[in-house]
Amino acid sequence: MPHMPIASETPSEDGCDQRFLEDYLLFLLAAASASASAGFHHIIRDHGLRVPEWRALASLHDKDGQMITRLAALALMEQSAMTRVIERMEERKLVERRGDTRDRRRVRVYLAPAGRALADALVIEARGHEARIMALLPPVERQRLKQSLAYLIGALPNNPLLINETGPAPDTP
């Protein structure tokens, strides 16, 4: 199995036993995400989507009728950028915007039939892609990795899973 050395395993050229980048959590998270996502992002592009569009579809697949504020948080992007993404998706008949029945000032985003079909197909592909990546890990590490990441996300401020329709939940820092 391929293995990236961590700082304590590989001395640097100047003889120091500590390398920063190879042991830096934020780099490791970003590198793992980029490497793991690359193959699936190719699949998304083959379906004519950009990553933010996929993230919006996946979010709506889980819970249809969300507001752009929440979709932006889950897609890890600014609300104004997500508004433009939703506009493009609406033009392509993947989503539709409707007024909120309880608050006419709000607009909710729903999957259109073509968007639902595409989201359903891509979720199946995403689960297969994830299974192939997780198979690279020893079985005991698979669940531990997800639990550790979920714990870390929950412990950090600005947790995108806690962003509700109107912004961060009141109990988040």
Side-chain angles (χ1 to χ4, degrees):
M1 174 182 327
H3 171 70
M4 184 173 121
I6 58 172
S8 61
E9 297 176 331
T10 309
S12 63
E13 289 181 14
D14 63 5
C16 292
D17 287 342
Q18 270 193 316
R19 287 191 173 176
F20 172 70
L21 193 60
E22 292 175 358
D23 195 42
Y24 181 50
L25 175 64
L26 301 181
F27 171 77
L28 293 172
L29 290 170
S33 177
S35 295
S37 298
F40 190 68
H41 290 174
H42 187 73
I43 292 168
I44 292 166
R45 285 189 297 276
D46 285 349
H47 282 87
L49 295 175
R50 296 180 180 140
V51 173
E53 293 168 328
W54 152 244
R55 289 178 178 163
L57 286 177
S59 298
L60 293 168
H61 176 272
D62 286 350
K63 182 179 181 230
D64 213 3
Q66 295 188 59
M67 291 181 53
I68 291 178
T69 305
R70 175 121 171 103
L71 292 174
L74 293 172
L76 308 174
M77 63 191 309
E78 295 291 324
Q79 183 176 338
S80 59
M82 179 52 73
T83 298
R84 290 188 297 277
V85 167
I86 295 301
E87 287 170 353
R88 286 192 306 267
M89 293 175 73
E90 193 171 33
E91 289 169 5
R92 294 171 51 204
K93 309 250 187 271
L94 296 175
V95 299
E96 53 189 48
R97 291 185 277 186
R98 299 184 214 146
D100 187 320
T101 56
R102 293 178 301 215
D103 184 343
R104 294 184 187 262
R105 296 170 296 175
R106 294 182 175 190
V107 175
R108 296 192 175 272
V109 181
Y110 294 85
L111 288 171
R116 169 66 61 198
L118 183 56
D120 289 347
L122 286 174
V123 164
I124 291 168
E125 291 208 41
R127 286 184 173 139
H129 182 76
E130 177 189 39
R132 289 187 294 279
I133 290 168
M134 294 300 273
L136 298 172
L137 295 172
V140 69
E141 294 297 326
R142 295 174 192 164
Q143 193 62 30
R144 187 178 308 168
L145 175 62
K146 283 188 172 187
Q147 288 172 339
S148 294
L149 290 172
Y151 183 86
L152 179 61
I153 291 166
L156 292 169
N158 300 316
N159 176 347
L161 299 175
L162 295 179
I163 304 292
N164 61 28
E165 304 292 282
T166 58
D171 59 346
T172 58

